[in-house]
Amino acid sequence: MTEAAPLLKIKHMSTDYPGIGGSVVRAVNDVSLSIANGEVLGIVGESGCGKSSLGRSILRLIEPTEGVIEFEGRDLMTLNRHEMKSVRQDMQIIFQDPFGSLNPRHRVGSILAEPLKVHGIGTKSDQRQNVAKILDLVGLPADATTRYAHEFSGGQRQRIAIARALVLNPKFLIADEAVSALDVSIQSQIINLLNGLQKQLGITMLFISHDLSVIRHVCDRVAVMYLGRIVETGTITDVLDSPQHPYTQALVSAVPNPARRHEQRIILQGELPNAANPPSGCHFNTRCPGINATVKAQCLAQAPQLVARAPETPAQTSRQLACHLYTPS
């Protein structure tokens, strides 16, 4: 039986920003990954590692510098502006700040109907019906259409943002830190809402977060990002319960867990390096607690490639790992 092609496949994608004094900041660095139809892939890492830049580059809200972005087998990098507009009907995003991403001058009904108008979907009567349906789907009352965004709480505004992303019935959704700006009690409500909608609608999702507990609750697989690069990918259980990359191990050790209360936390020394002038070789070599004499020269000289690694136990599946500690020369 032939395995189904992924809905989204990224190959060697990089995204640069102009820096100070003519320098270049490589926010996304040679990233390759794929997402199967109906899957939720989590992207996790420290602030500044390139998570949001990755998500926006996939949609070409930020133009990638190089690489291939295949959506349903179609290379988005070859499309012009008009062609990308039609594709974006199937690819939507939920932004981190629900207040800043909603037009304060428009009522909610107008905000939710605007994507339908832009893409020429339905009559005005059809659009009103679609807006009413999507409001009900995200748990908001029908009279929300007559109110402005500032009249709602943070959690309600995020429901509006989710409704706007879903009103076009997309196949692929990017949730960019969709719950990080909310109180913890409201976070759980929005996470449960997203989980329910993903299962009900069968949407494929890229879920960006710095919170591993949220990633565990929402995602099927996870990719760990450090300074623009993917350093480890695998199933949620494999990566978060038995991390192998030293950076992933440090992230997991920082999450409070009563079952690991006797384990010593791994504390990384120093700050995230400057993306405009990253360390040579492996970008993590300046903070890596596992670097040793056997691989040090290789870590300093050569960036490790993301390669498949066989499972360590029968209960695990294969994962991808970019670390010379596991592939010494």
Side-chain angles (χ1 to χ4, degrees):
M1 184 175 178
T2 305
E3 185 177 350
L7 180 72
L8 178 75
K9 189 171 185 179
I10 303 165
K11 293 183 282 189
H12 305 294
M13 186 178 76
S14 297
T15 300
D16 295 343
Y17 294 127
I20 298 173
S23 64
V24 174
V25 177
R26 176 142 286 190
V28 179
N29 193 341
D30 194 29
V31 168
S32 297
L33 54 82
S34 63
I35 310 177
N37 197 15
E39 183 183 34
V40 182
L41 174 66
I43 303 290
V44 70
E46 292 171 285
S47 296
C49 72
K51 303 186 298 297
S52 293
S53 293
L54 172 63
R56 297 182 185 210
S57 296
I58 290 171
L59 299 181
R60 287 183 60 190
L61 298 178
I62 299 170
E63 285 292 341
T65 307
E66 59 190 25
V68 174
I69 307 168
E70 291 183 358
F71 181 72
E72 295 186 314
R74 190 180 187 187
D75 185 4
L76 302 188
M77 293 293 287
T78 65
L79 305 185
N80 60 34
R81 185 174 180 179
H82 177 73
E83 292 168 329
M84 272 303 301
K85 178 183 174 182
S86 65
V87 172
R88 288 200 178 104
Q89 183 176 333
D90 291 325
M91 306 176 75
Q92 289 292 303
I93 185 170
I94 305 168
F95 294 101
Q96 177 176 356
D97 181 5
F99 191 72
S101 63
L102 299 175
N103 193 325
R105 296 179 179 272
H106 288 182
R107 299 180 193 271
V108 168
S110 176
I111 290 173
L112 298 185
E114 185 174 12
L116 299 170
K117 294 176 181 177
V118 168
H119 290 277
I121 298 174
T123 63
K124 287 186 177 181
S125 176
D126 294 333
Q127 291 169 4
R128 285 194 295 269
Q129 290 179 17
N130 284 336
V131 168
K133 288 179 182 178
I134 205 69
L135 282 173
D136 181 63
L137 195 64
V138 300
L140 288 174
D143 65 0
T145 57
T146 63
R147 297 154 63 188
Y148 294 94
H150 71 267
E151 299 180 68
F152 295 88
S153 67
Q156 290 173 322
R157 284 196 293 266
Q158 195 60 291
R159 289 174 186 266
I160 295 168
I162 293 169
R164 181 179 58 183
L166 295 180
V167 75
L168 291 171
N169 193 26
K171 299 175 182 177
F172 176 68
L173 182 64
I174 294 178
D176 185 7
E177 298 276 13
V179 298
S180 64
L182 306 176
D183 293 339
V184 174
S185 60
I186 305 301
Q187 279 187 16
S188 62
Q189 295 177 21
I190 300 300
I191 290 168
N192 290 334
L193 173 66
L194 287 170
N195 267 339
L197 290 172
Q198 191 276 327
K199 291 178 174 63
Q200 179 180 347
L201 303 175
I203 299 174
T204 305
M205 190 182 302
L206 183 75
F207 193 93
I208 299 169
S209 179
H210 63 273
D211 190 329
L212 290 180
S213 60
V214 172
I215 289 287
R216 184 188 289 273
H217 193 68
V218 174
C219 304
D220 303 306
R221 288 192 301 126
V222 61
V224 182
M225 201 167 184
Y226 182 82
L227 209 65
R229 295 180 180 271
I230 302 295
V231 297
E232 184 169 2
T233 70
T235 66
I236 288 294
T237 302
D238 286 353
V239 174
L240 299 190
D241 289 349
S242 58
Q244 293 186 352
H245 194 282
Y247 179 62
T248 312
Q249 291 172 352
L251 289 181
V252 171
S253 76
V255 179
N257 187 338
R260 297 197 312 268
R261 63 182 181 274
H262 299 301
E263 296 180 11
Q264 185 175 2
R265 179 181 170 185
I266 302 171
I267 300 177
L268 299 179
Q269 302 298 318
E271 298 293 330
L272 194 70
N274 184 356
N277 185 27
S280 60
C282 174
H283 288 352
F284 190 56
N285 70 60
T286 58
R287 304 170 73 194
C288 182
I291 195 168
N292 56 49
T294 305
V295 295
K296 185 172 183 179
Q298 192 175 10
C299 293
L300 296 177
Q302 180 183 358
Q305 298 300 305
L306 192 67
V307 297
R309 179 167 171 78
E312 294 185 327
T313 68
Q316 294 181 357
T317 58
S318 62
R319 74 179 80 192
Q320 289 183 303
L321 198 65
C323 183
H324 292 308
L325 290 169
Y326 297 95
T327 55
S329 59

